[in-house]
Amino acid sequence: MFSHMLVLNHIGVWIVHQPSVLDDWTHNQLSVLYAQPDCGTHESTQNVQFAPVIQEFQQLIESDPEIFMCFNKMFNEVRRPKDDLDHVKDYKELMGVLNQILDQAPQFGGVNNLVMGVPIYAVLAPFCNTPSGYTAFTNPKVNAHFHKFFDVWTRFLVSPASRYVLTTGQKCWFSHEALDIMAQRLGSSFYDTWICRDDDPEKHYGFTSWDDFFTRQFRPGMRDVVAPENPNLITSACEASVHVIQPNVQALDTFWIKGHSYSLSHMFNHDPLTPQFVGGTVYQGILSSLDYHRWHSPVDGVVKKAYLIPGTYYAARLDSDPDPDVVSRSQDFVTAVATRALIFIESDNPAIGLMCFVAVGLGEVSTCEITVKVGARLKKGDHMGAFHFGGSTHCLVFCPQTHLRVFPHVVPGALQKVNSNILYIEN
């Protein structure tokens, strides 16, 4: 029985709801592209020397008839004025912008401009909500090339060169504006909240790279488990805002239709354990670019399975909403199609039983890193893995025999601190 559980609904946000912000970002990228030597006009973009991974991507587009058609049609399907000059116009311009991003780290964009946290999605967002964009971004060959692209970009993001955004300069993560916003969100200063190797923001607080900053860790005592000895309490596995709590999830459901349908067989990639969860409950939370990006065990128990599932990066459920941030409106959809990590845990508490943590990598995320192994014994709050490089979402999935209740503070859009109590079992 699903006792006193509410169905909660909140849409997270990846990019701002201001078209002018997206236009400025894309316009700046195009301005840099056309400022390069031998690239003074749209027709001369082919003179730009692309990185090998971008050359391969363009070759894929041009050699595959279906992909070529989609990467042409999606630009015509975007709803925008025909004289709009602030958008990428075709796949060749898109390759040029992606080529530039290979040596750019995500920037902080200010109070109303967090779009820089997901720079590639900022460029692709207008095309995700088109029929041809949907077909392109669900194509396995296209996603394989995005993965290759991310592998190359990762080498920059884990290098010291990516620290140019980790200073006090404009659109940098340690500017007064950025530090103030992070302090407001966390209730304490950046230095007091996070483990730093240096106390000077001009020295990057000691972070060695963008990814080192992105996967930063809380100082001891900042996110301790409350009442760890109580086996009936279930904690938040991530620092994330509530998206939805959905009971009676089905093995197969219409996850592509708006309405928070979870299709367990697709979410679990037809894992043999799937039937045990049919009729159970999904709790989903959304992480933002400002949040902590590591995962912690929500229960005491033993890891039964842990593995990665390859999938899409920019596929979204199509709708008629003019807001370009369609992926944020597709949080349940992506659990069935996106790249994700599954960690099945057998709880020590038989009233909880088997549950599963699902980490869903979206957009710029090219790595869901699992750090626990099968057979490992976990206590609530133990580290299980991390997202790298960008925005993400996650789920806790429970069997139908688990009689869950929700704490009053678990409300739509509310940020749930990692290791805080979110659900409980009532005896």
Side-chain angles (χ1 to χ4, degrees), residues 386-407:
F387 292 113
H388 291 257
F389 318 127
S392 36
T393 188
H394 79 290
C395 296
L396 302 180
V397 189
F398 299 91
C399 295
Q401 298 86 359
T402 308
H403 298 163
L404 295 166
R405 289 178 179 264
V406 61
F407 280 99

Side-chain angles (χ1 to χ4, degrees), residues 264-271 274 307 309-310 340 342:
L264 287 173
S265 291
H266 297 102
M267 181 189 292
F268 291 162
N269 200 34
H270 306 286
D271 189 283
T274 301
Y307 60 95
I309 300 172
R340 54 205 182 275
L342 304 183

